[in-house]
Short mmCIF file of all heavy atoms in Angstrom, two decimals:
data_model
loop_
_atom_site.label_atom_id
_atom_site.label_comp_id
_atom_site.label_asym_id
_atom_site.label_seq_id
_atom_site.Cartn_x
_atom_site.Cartn_y
_atom_site.Cartn_z
N HIS I 483 2.56 22.11 -5.10
CA HIS I 483 3.47 22.25 -6.23
C HIS I 483 3.78 20.87 -6.82
O HIS I 483 3.75 20.68 -8.03
CB HIS I 483 4.76 22.92 -5.76
CG HIS I 483 5.71 23.21 -6.89
ND1 HIS I 483 5.68 24.39 -7.60
CD2 HIS I 483 6.69 22.46 -7.45
CE1 HIS I 483 6.61 24.35 -8.54
NE2 HIS I 483 7.24 23.20 -8.46
N LEU I 484 4.04 19.92 -5.92
CA LEU I 484 4.36 18.56 -6.37
C LEU I 484 3.21 17.97 -7.17
O LEU I 484 3.44 17.29 -8.17
CB LEU I 484 4.63 17.67 -5.17
CG LEU I 484 6.04 17.75 -4.58
CD1 LEU I 484 6.16 16.81 -3.40
CD2 LEU I 484 7.07 17.38 -5.65
N ALA I 485 2.01 18.26 -6.71
CA ALA I 485 0.85 17.68 -7.39
C ALA I 485 0.65 18.32 -8.76
O ALA I 485 -0.02 17.75 -9.61
CB ALA I 485 -0.40 17.88 -6.53
N ARG I 486 1.23 19.48 -8.95
CA ARG I 486 0.98 20.19 -10.18
C ARG I 486 2.20 20.31 -11.09
O ARG I 486 2.12 20.90 -12.15
CB ARG I 486 0.44 21.60 -9.87
CG ARG I 486 -0.75 21.58 -8.91
CD ARG I 486 -1.25 22.95 -8.69
NE ARG I 486 -1.66 23.52 -9.94
CZ ARG I 486 -2.83 23.37 -10.50
NH1 ARG I 486 -3.73 22.63 -9.90
NH2 ARG I 486 -3.11 23.92 -11.64
N HIS I 487 3.33 19.78 -10.61
CA HIS I 487 4.54 19.90 -11.42
C HIS I 487 5.25 18.56 -11.56
O HIS I 487 5.07 17.67 -10.75
CB HIS I 487 5.48 20.93 -10.79
CG HIS I 487 4.95 22.32 -10.89
ND1 HIS I 487 4.00 22.80 -10.03
CD2 HIS I 487 5.21 23.31 -11.78
CE1 HIS I 487 3.70 24.03 -10.37
NE2 HIS I 487 4.41 24.37 -11.43
N ASP I 488 6.05 18.49 -12.57
CA ASP I 488 6.85 17.29 -12.81
C ASP I 488 8.08 17.37 -11.91
O ASP I 488 8.76 18.39 -11.89
CB ASP I 488 7.22 17.29 -14.29
CG ASP I 488 8.33 16.31 -14.57
OD1 ASP I 488 8.20 15.17 -14.10
OD2 ASP I 488 9.31 16.69 -15.23
N SER I 489 8.34 16.32 -11.17
CA SER I 489 9.40 16.41 -10.17
C SER I 489 10.80 16.47 -10.79
O SER I 489 11.70 17.07 -10.22
CB SER I 489 9.31 15.24 -9.20
OG SER I 489 9.36 14.04 -9.92
N LEU I 490 10.97 15.89 -11.96
CA LEU I 490 12.31 15.89 -12.56
C LEU I 490 12.67 17.27 -13.12
O LEU I 490 13.71 17.84 -12.80
CB LEU I 490 12.40 14.84 -13.67
CG LEU I 490 13.74 14.84 -14.42
CD1 LEU I 490 14.85 14.35 -13.50
CD2 LEU I 490 13.67 13.98 -15.67
N THR I 491 11.79 17.82 -13.94
CA THR I 491 12.14 19.06 -14.63
C THR I 491 11.58 20.30 -13.94
O THR I 491 11.99 21.41 -14.26
CB THR I 491 11.57 19.03 -16.06
OG1 THR I 491 10.15 18.88 -15.96
CG2 THR I 491 12.13 17.88 -16.86
N GLY I 492 10.65 20.11 -13.01
CA GLY I 492 10.02 21.25 -12.35
C GLY I 492 8.98 21.93 -13.24
O GLY I 492 8.37 22.91 -12.85
N LEU I 493 8.77 21.39 -14.42
CA LEU I 493 7.78 21.99 -15.32
C LEU I 493 6.37 21.64 -14.84
O LEU I 493 6.17 20.63 -14.18
CB LEU I 493 7.96 21.43 -16.74
CG LEU I 493 9.22 21.79 -17.49
CD1 LEU I 493 9.19 21.14 -18.88
CD2 LEU I 493 9.36 23.30 -17.64
N PRO I 494 5.38 22.47 -15.21
CA PRO I 494 4.00 22.11 -14.90
C PRO I 494 3.69 20.74 -15.51
O PRO I 494 4.22 20.41 -16.57
CB PRO I 494 3.19 23.20 -15.61
CG PRO I 494 4.13 24.32 -15.82
CD PRO I 494 5.50 23.76 -15.90
N ASN I 495 2.87 19.96 -14.80
CA ASN I 495 2.52 18.65 -15.36
C ASN I 495 1.28 18.77 -16.24
O ASN I 495 0.76 19.86 -16.45
CB ASN I 495 2.34 17.62 -14.26
CG ASN I 495 1.24 18.01 -13.29
OD1 ASN I 495 0.43 18.89 -13.58
ND2 ASN I 495 1.22 17.38 -12.15
N ARG I 496 0.80 17.64 -16.73
CA ARG I 496 -0.29 17.69 -17.72
C ARG I 496 -1.55 18.34 -17.15
O ARG I 496 -2.25 19.07 -17.84
CB ARG I 496 -0.59 16.30 -18.29
CG ARG I 496 -1.09 15.29 -17.28
CD ARG I 496 -1.56 14.04 -17.97
NE ARG I 496 -0.44 13.23 -18.45
CZ ARG I 496 -0.53 12.41 -19.46
NH1 ARG I 496 -1.63 12.30 -20.13
NH2 ARG I 496 0.51 11.68 -19.80
N SER I 547 14.02 20.73 -21.23
CA SER I 547 12.96 21.57 -20.67
C SER I 547 13.44 23.01 -20.55
O SER I 547 12.68 23.94 -20.79
CB SER I 547 12.48 21.01 -19.33
OG SER I 547 13.50 21.07 -18.38
N GLY I 561 5.12 22.49 -20.46
CA GLY I 561 4.85 21.45 -19.48
C GLY I 561 5.41 20.12 -19.94
O GLY I 561 5.70 19.93 -21.12
N ARG I 562 5.60 19.23 -18.96
CA ARG I 562 6.03 17.89 -19.34
C ARG I 562 4.83 16.97 -19.27
O ARG I 562 4.13 16.90 -18.26
CB ARG I 562 7.12 17.40 -18.39
CG ARG I 562 7.61 16.01 -18.79
CD ARG I 562 8.96 15.70 -18.17
NE ARG I 562 9.34 14.33 -18.41
CZ ARG I 562 9.85 13.52 -17.50
NH1 ARG I 562 10.06 13.99 -16.27
NH2 ARG I 562 10.19 12.29 -17.79
N GLN I 563 4.61 16.29 -20.37
CA GLN I 563 3.45 15.44 -20.49
C GLN I 563 3.75 14.07 -19.89
O GLN I 563 2.86 13.36 -19.46
CB GLN I 563 3.10 15.33 -21.98
CG GLN I 563 1.82 14.63 -22.28
CD GLN I 563 0.63 15.50 -21.93
OE1 GLN I 563 0.78 16.60 -21.39
NE2 GLN I 563 -0.55 15.02 -22.18
N GLY I 564 5.03 13.73 -19.83
CA GLY I 564 5.43 12.41 -19.36
C GLY I 564 6.47 11.89 -20.32
O GLY I 564 6.47 12.27 -21.49
N PHE I 568 6.64 16.67 -24.31
CA PHE I 568 6.42 17.98 -23.71
C PHE I 568 5.24 18.65 -24.41
O PHE I 568 4.95 18.33 -25.56
CB PHE I 568 7.66 18.86 -23.88
CG PHE I 568 8.87 18.33 -23.15
CD1 PHE I 568 9.69 17.37 -23.74
CD2 PHE I 568 9.16 18.77 -21.87
CE1 PHE I 568 10.78 16.87 -23.05
CE2 PHE I 568 10.26 18.28 -21.18
CZ PHE I 568 11.08 17.33 -21.78
#
Side-chain angles (χ1 to χ4, degrees):
H483 185 89
L484 278 180
R486 308 182 60 85
H487 291 80
D488 165 48
S489 56
L490 176 68
T491 59
L493 292 180
N495 60 16
R496 63 171 75 206
S547 65
R562 181 162 173 225
Q563 187 74 356
F568 296 85

